[in-house]
């Protein structure tokens, strides 16, 4: 079974969903390490409760970005990690890290990419008056939320939505989708092929990656 590292910065709600999915037999990857760039991040306690090793690799503890990257890579190597998931990890990873883990580095983002990349995707969707948004699981490349999509789920935007109310519904969708997408990657049912995600089974692709919803015409 592939060994999974999860990189976090905060509460670790997506981390908890992955831990729960593995415990229930729905994630074919063994959580082997949780790394935070923020000392005291709440997600570290979730990992400890699940008896998953944790490590803090904070940029402030290293003399350069290059040294921080080397420390991240060393932590993963020390735990024989095969697959890396970003779960609320709020830093852009160095190119050297992405190159080392290309095709084995996955992120979840709270929008239907390519719409609303980067920070505050939920606020962006509300400001734009989008009738629908959602979440996307994707392979990580050197751009900001530009890697090939593995899975997506649409979430409607209600007229009375606030960032909190919409964010809660998107997060619920993320918790279910992220584990399913990572399970497919861990089983080899989805892999990175050049600039797109290749699926071993067309039915799996249709399930995980439905067409983007069409915006309503005026």
């Amino acid at each position: 079974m592939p060994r999974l590292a999860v990189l976090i910065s905060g509460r670790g709600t997506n981390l908890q969903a992955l831990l729960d999915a593995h415990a229930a037999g729905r994630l074919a990857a063994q959580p082997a390490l949780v790394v935070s760039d923020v000392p005291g991040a709440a997600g570290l306690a979730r990992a400890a409760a699940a008896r998953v090793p944790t490590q803090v690799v904070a940029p402030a503890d290293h003399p350069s970005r290059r040294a921080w990257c080397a420390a991240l890579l060393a932590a993963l190597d020390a735990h024989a990690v095969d697959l890396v998931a970003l779960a609320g990890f709020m830093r852009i990873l160095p190119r050297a890290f992405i190159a080392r883990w290309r095709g084995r580095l996955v992120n979840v983002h709270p929008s239907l990419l390519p719409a609303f990349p980067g920070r505050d995707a939920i606020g962006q969707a509300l400001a734009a008056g989008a009738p629908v948004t959602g979440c996307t699981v994707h392979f990580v490349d050197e751009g900001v939320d530009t890697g090939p999509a593995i899975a997506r789920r649409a979430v409607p935007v209600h007229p009375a939505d606030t960032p909190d109310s919409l964010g809660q519904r998107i997060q619920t969708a993320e918790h279910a989708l992220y584990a399913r997408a990572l399970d497919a990657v861990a089983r080899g049912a989805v892999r990175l092929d050049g600039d797109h995600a290749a699926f071993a089974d067309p039915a799996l692709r249709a399930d995980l990656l439905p067409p983007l919803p069409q915006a309503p015409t005026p």
Side-chain angles (χ1 to χ4, degrees):
M1 180 178 291
R3 291 170 59 81
L4 173 69
V6 184
L7 274 55
I8 66 169
S9 295
R11 295 180 301 157
T13 59
N14 268 311
L15 164 65
Q16 187 66 60
L18 297 179
L19 294 172
D20 292 345
H22 175 72
R26 294 183 283 105
L27 174 57
Q30 171 69 50
L33 177 67
V34 172
V35 178
S36 175
D37 63 323
V38 178
L44 294 170
R46 296 178 186 271
R51 299 185 178 181
V52 177
T54 64
Q55 189 165 338
V56 174
V57 185
D61 294 337
H62 299 86
S64 66
R65 184 169 168 81
R66 182 175 181 178
W68 176 64
C69 177
L72 279 176
L73 292 172
L76 302 183
D77 286 345
H79 288 82
V81 168
D82 303 297
L83 179 64
V84 179
L86 308 184
F89 189 70
M90 300 306 292
R91 294 186 186 273
I92 296 176
L93 288 163
R95 287 178 174 267
F97 186 98
I98 294 168
R100 169 79 176 273
W101 285 94
R102 189 178 305 278
R104 298 179 294 155
L105 178 61
V106 181
N107 183 43
V108 62
H109 182 76
S111 78
L112 295 176
L113 294 171
F116 313 126
R119 290 183 180 270
D120 194 21
I122 294 168
Q124 291 182 58
L126 290 171
V132 63
T133 183
C135 57
T136 306
V137 180
H138 63 96
F139 288 112
V140 176
D141 64 10
E142 289 79 6
V144 177
D145 301 319
T146 57
I150 300 167
R152 65 170 69 98
R153 283 294 178 269
V155 174
V157 181
H158 300 158
D161 263 330
T162 65
D164 284 344
S165 64
L166 179 56
Q168 287 174 8
R169 292 203 311 282
I170 291 174
Q171 194 168 76
T172 297
E174 286 181 346
H175 291 171
L177 187 66
Y178 205 7
R180 292 195 61 221
L182 280 173
D183 178 70
V185 174
R187 292 186 290 104
V190 184
R191 61 181 177 83
L192 181 64
D193 183 9
D195 62 355
H196 70 282
F199 292 77
D201 180 357
L204 179 64
R205 187 188 194 286
D207 181 36
L208 288 181
L209 203 60
L212 288 166
Q214 295 296 312
T217 55

